[in-house]
Amino acid sequence: MSQSYLMPTYNRQPISFVRGQGSWLYTADDTPYLDALTGIAVCGLGHCQPDITRAIQEQAATLVHTSNLYGIDWQERAGESLCIAAGMDNVFFANSGAEANEAALKLARLFAHNKGLKRPKVIVMEKSFHGRTLLTVSATANPKAREGFFTLDDDFIRVPFGDVAAIEQAAKDHEDICAIFLEPIQGEGGLNTAANGFDFLDEVAALCDSHDWLYMLDEVQTGNGRTGKPFAYQYSQSKPDVLTTAKGLGNGFPVGACMVRGRAASLFSAGSHGSTYGGTPLASRVVHTVYELLTGDVMANAVREGDFIRQALTDELGAQGVSSRGAGMMIGIVLPETADCSALVDIARDEQKLIINITGNHVVRLLPTLNIQRNESEQIAERLINTIRSANIL
Ligand SMILES: Cc1ncc(COP(=O)(O)O)c(C=O)c1O
């Protein structure tokens, strides 16, 4: 095609796929590529998972959309399975991660309003990513995403990820703080984990308790089994007031969710928030099916295979300064900061037929399927080692 009518919002790679199956993507000439990215943590149960395909086909032939003006049985059922897995009370269904996060940030404002705060502020983290709507991009740290949009900077206070002292200092410096919003593991910002791991979440929860702030987690990327638990916060001892998710929630079907618990559950009322498409019978049936498939065995597999891939990489390249971080199937292979990683994605794709991504300049991000088979994990490790060797950057 000579001319594209699409807005140039993406630097697209010179490849496109026409079909997918499990951990594999295929080009038009039927060349298989091993997908270690799954649409950026979306198709966790594999491309075209047969039960999900069947659910979509059956529901598309039965009822796609009515309206949230009416009862939607599949939405009730999806809400029940999601809230039980997440340990939350209620859910609002949206269509994307940004929309789910927009709902969370609106909840924080309502919470502040009810407390009589005049200029509410939410504490967010450096290197965070929360989406592209005006409020969520204002919460996002990435300068490239924010540039030129007159972001709502007075509404957020930014602290280093994992830095409790900085949060305590913010509490002293600012009056109208109403919430903290963070990712348990930062996906877009570099696959960052806090120095004390998930204990950081407990420290944040305790601070929220003592200051009467809402404790809000963005699990758009870490949720739905990605880290080996339904939600990554379940590795900690505390529970958020507000929890958002998307990506793996629909295994490729666009859907997002904002969940609430306890004091956050009574903030929205009829008319205070809504969405034409949120929680259609079709989207909800997909969510329900995803949660039927997301068994303890699948999540145990994600942990086992994630550990295997990390171990294989560090066994082979650890002596040359390569380390790993993450949890379950959210894997960061950390190369030395001096390594020039600019060619890795192309080498992996063109020479090794492996789909990967680089985040934070020197971290190879792997987000493979949760139900991957051992021989596929072996191939991811082998193809990535070959890629790094071929780039000659260590
Ligand atoms: C942690 C996190 N929050 C929010 C989003 C935005 O989600 P969406 O692109 O579905 O709006 C993303 C997307 O990468 C994400 O990783």
Side-chain angles (χ1 to χ4, degrees):
M1 220 181 296
S2 57
Q3 179 189 351
S4 173
Y5 287 92
L6 308 181
M7 286 200 202
T9 51
Y10 284 90
N11 275 326
R12 294 177 198 273
Q13 296 177 36
I15 193 166
S16 72
F17 301 104
V18 297
R19 72 182 178 92
Q21 191 72 58
S23 293
W24 298 87
L25 287 168
Y26 298 84
T27 49
D29 64 2
D30 227 25
T31 306
Y33 286 74
L34 183 50
D35 186 7
L37 199 59
T38 59
I40 316 186
V42 169
C43 303
L45 296 168
H47 293 285
C48 300
Q49 200 288 335
D51 296 311
I52 297 173
T53 301
R54 200 172 313 115
I56 292 172
Q57 288 171 335
E58 280 181 18
Q59 195 57 38
T62 308
L63 184 66
V64 173
H65 173 79
T66 53
S67 162
N68 282 306
L69 294 175
Y70 314 108
I72 301 174
D73 186 52
W74 279 112
Q75 193 180 124
E76 298 288 346
R77 293 170 70 174
E80 182 178 4
S81 40
L82 177 58
C83 284
I84 288 173
M88 301 297 283
D89 292 345
N90 302 119
V91 58
F92 173 84
F93 282 110
N95 307 289
S96 67
E99 266 187 62
N101 288 346
E102 189 79 16
L105 292 167
K106 284 178 72 178
L107 283 169
R109 285 171 174 237
L110 265 188
F111 180 69
H113 172 80
N114 294 351
K115 282 180 26 162
L117 303 188
K118 293 277 176 288
R119 200 76 189 90
K121 292 177 190 306
V122 175
I123 296 179
V124 290
M125 303 294 128
E126 290 176 5
K127 301 189 178 171
S128 63
F129 188 87
H130 296 297
R132 305 275 191 169
T133 64
L134 188 52
L135 198 51
T136 60
V137 84
S138 300
T140 290
N142 182 348
K144 191 93 175 89
R146 299 161 55 82
E147 196 184 336
F149 292 118
F150 297 93
T151 46
L152 308 170
D153 297 340
D154 287 347
D155 298 353
F156 297 95
I157 300 163
R158 205 169 290 287
V159 300
F161 183 55
D163 189 340
V164 173
I167 300 173
E168 281 167 343
Q169 190 58 46
K172 290 188 189 128
D173 295 345
H174 301 274
E175 274 193 345
D176 283 356
I177 297 170
C178 60
I180 301 186
F181 191 38
L182 72 158
E183 302 151 81
I185 298 174
Q186 295 183 318
E188 302 304 300
L191 222 303
N192 305 315
T193 50
N196 59 349
F198 294 112
D199 290 350
F200 176 55
L201 298 183
D202 293 324
E203 295 171 346
V204 170
L207 280 170
C208 288
D209 238 23
S210 65
H211 291 283
D212 193 29
W213 301 334
L214 284 184
Y215 170 34
M216 311 204 304
L217 289 179
D218 176 345
E219 296 228 31
V220 167
Q221 191 158 152
T222 53
N224 312 299
R226 175 55 52 191
T227 67
K229 299 255 188 204
F231 288 85
Y233 90 80
Q234 290 161 330
Y235 283 106
S236 77
Q237 304 304 312
S238 44
K239 270 188 166 190
D241 298 301
V242 179
L243 176 65
T244 63
T245 196
K247 289 194 183 272
L249 184 61
N251 206 58
F253 196 90
V255 57
C258 175
M259 290 171 272
V260 287
R261 195 178 65 82
R263 62 196 174 143
S266 51
L267 291 168
F268 280 159
S269 56
S272 58
H273 196 55
S275 163
T276 296
Y277 292 122
T280 62
L282 181 54
S284 301
R285 183 156 174 188
V286 172
V287 170
H288 187 261
T289 309
V290 164
Y291 269 83
E292 276 182 336
L293 296 168
L294 194 58
T295 59
D297 283 352
V298 168
M299 288 183 276
N301 190 68
V303 171
R304 196 169 44 243
E305 297 305 307
D307 288 350
F308 172 84
I309 293 170
R310 287 169 61 170
Q311 191 69 47
L313 264 293
T314 48
D315 279 355
E316 201 65 27
L317 302 173
Q320 288 158 277
V322 174
S323 61
S324 77
R325 59 190 183 221
M329 276 304 189
M330 189 162 180
I331 303 171
I333 302 298
V334 187
L335 305 187
E337 281 188 38
T338 48
D340 175 6
C341 297
S342 54
L344 281 187
V345 167
D346 292 351
I347 295 173
R349 185 193 61 236
D350 296 341
E351 293 181 12
Q352 298 295 324
K353 308 282 179 261
L354 174 68
I355 302 302
I356 59 165
N357 173 246
I358 304 293
T359 178
N361 292 328
H362 65 113
V363 181
V364 179
R365 178 164 55 161
L366 303 176
L367 302 160
T369 51
L370 312 178
N371 50 7
I372 198 166
Q373 292 172 18
R374 175 53 60 93
N375 75 326
E376 294 167 332
S377 302
E378 285 168 352
Q379 288 191 58
I380 288 179
E382 189 185 319
R383 292 179 191 206
L384 182 55
I385 290 165
N386 291 343
T387 299
I388 296 169
R389 290 229 166 95
S390 163
N392 204 16
I393 52 176
L394 296 181

